[in-house]
Amino acid sequence: GSDELVSIPDLVLDVPTRHWSTLPPDPIGKAFDRGITATPAGLVLTAHALVPSPGAGDRPSYLLAARFNRATGRWTRLADATDMLGGGRWAWTGKRMVAVALDATNGGGDPPGDYGRLIPFGGRLDPATGAWSRLPKAPRYLSGGWTVDAVGGPLVAAEGWVYDDETEAWRKVPRPHGAAPRPGPATWVGSTVYVIGGLDDRSANADSAYDTKVWSWT
């Protein structure tokens, strides 16, 4: 996750052999918000540079990336993002790594802000070419429906929307009648998302605040 206090090795588990191995040091160096995503092109590390007050002033803290080739045991540094600030959690959709985050920032201060423009937190990365791109036709921040969170495969549920990376289409997630306002854990099985329970944090009774129903939506 972070090298702020101490650097911790990155470990890989080979499931069939139950063997753990340690990755060699990556070319990004000390960083925070580190995450590794498995793709056919290799393991992709994304992170932010470990600098004082990242993103402060007029210098955005853009996302950094590197790709690890398991066959050669070598890292390749990818181009830094120039239009994306987030990306702590990714989905591999079969084509690209996708981070669905609809918020953006101009760095604060008087318009147009310290950065001079709005820079999104979400985006996409092609790990084979290292090409970055924006989320296409992204909806407005906080405009979604039921905030189901399920990352994996070609469909991504986040921030009240389902994003289909194959068609680049968005669909608002409806909240089923009788479901808790805050959905519980969710996962995709094919093109159906399953939501396990939820929480009604408006309830004064702690016992009745938790919903034990299971919902599915195709």
Side-chain angles (χ1 to χ4, degrees), residues 95-123:
K95 284 186 174 182
R96 286 170 286 260
M97 291 167 50
V98 174
V100 175
L102 301 178
D103 199 5
T105 181
N106 62 8
D110 295 331
D114 293 340
Y115 300 162
R117 63 189 178 99
L118 272 176
I119 303 175
F121 286 98

Side-chain angles (χ1 to χ4, degrees), residues 20-87:
W20 289 91
S21 58
T22 303
L23 294 179
D26 62 79
I28 291 178
K30 290 187 179 295
F32 72 98
D33 278 353
R34 301 171 73 255
I36 292 180
T37 304
T39 79
L43 297 175
V44 179
L45 168 68
T46 53
H48 288 90
L50 189 59
V51 296
S53 302
D58 60 354
R59 302 191 60 179
S61 184
Y62 291 119
L63 206 58
L64 314 176
R67 184 182 63 235
F68 180 72
N69 186 317
R70 191 73 172 157
T72 63
R74 295 180 179 275
W75 287 95
T76 299
R77 179 71 183 266
L78 302 179
D80 300 346
T82 58
D83 199 33
M84 182 176 178
L85 299 178

